[in-house]
Amino acid sequence: MLLIRDLAQADYLVVEDLLDAADLAAPGAYDPEGLEVIVVQVDGILSGVAEFRLDYDFGRDDARPGHTGPQAWVLTMAVAADQRRRGLGRALVTEIARRAQNAGRTYLALVPQDGDDEPDRQTFFAACGLTPIEPEQPGRAWGRPVAEILALLRTPPQSG
């Protein structure tokens, strides 16, 4: 059974391990201060995490032609390697988009972290409906209006 919930302090060590395994851990002990953090559990085992901000202006106004609305940003996402391609990341993005919409945010954006698996991350975010919103360059932002992301993610993926 899949469960998405807010982070609890008892989760910190597991979250730190998930982020470290994905080469996304910050130095020192895990500290989510100032962040919204949700986790996903599968059959009671914490298997993924997402850090985000619901009220965040990344200062990229010129990179969002035609969209000046309030934005939310996904800062970090990690899913345990043995749990990937099971819909957990998609569930995390869906929950962030839902919370963003409830908070009055109209745009969701992120910068896919670089590293060896950057192409996989970009493929995943594209499957979630996000597209590059800046010119081709390292560290470019991706995004999409929240309503469009939710409409896409609420539709079951097509097999074939």
Side-chain angles (χ1 to χ4, degrees):
M1 175 194 222
L2 182 116
L3 171 70
I4 295 179
R5 62 173 174 77
D6 290 322
L7 176 76
Q9 190 165 4
D11 301 325
Y12 284 20
L13 289 177
V14 176
V15 166
E16 191 172 312
D17 288 344
L18 283 169
L19 295 173
D20 188 49
D23 292 325
L24 300 172
Y30 182 68
D31 181 8
E33 185 175 344
L35 302 174
E36 301 277 341
V37 183
I38 55 176
V39 296
V40 59
Q41 289 180 235
V42 177
D43 297 327
I45 298 170
L46 199 149
S47 300
V49 60
E51 300 172 325
F52 58 100
R53 300 266 314 266
L54 290 175
D55 186 12
Y56 196 63
D57 181 3
F58 200 66
R60 297 181 185 260
D61 293 331
D62 295 333
R64 292 175 289 135
H67 184 83
T68 58
Q71 55 186 303
W73 275 77
V74 177
L75 302 170
T76 309
M77 280 187 61
V79 173
D82 65 338
Q83 295 294 315
R84 292 184 183 149
R85 293 181 169 60
R86 297 183 63 199
L88 304 185
R90 183 179 174 104
L92 288 167
V93 171
T94 302
E95 179 63 12
I96 293 168
R98 186 191 66 75
R99 290 180 184 209
Q101 186 175 58
N102 288 345
R105 304 294 163 234
T106 59
Y107 201 80
L108 182 65
L110 58 87
V111 174
Q113 292 92 357
D114 53 4
D116 292 340
D117 63 347
E118 183 177 4
D120 292 337
R121 291 178 186 166
Q122 290 179 353
T123 299
F124 166 73
F125 290 122
C128 290
L130 290 105
T131 58
I133 56 175
E134 294 182 319
E136 185 78 36
Q137 63 187 22
R140 69 179 167 170
W142 291 46
R144 190 164 191 170
V146 169
E148 292 177 17
I149 293 170
L150 285 171
L152 176 71
L153 293 178
R154 287 183 179 143
T155 304
Q158 300 294 316
S159 59

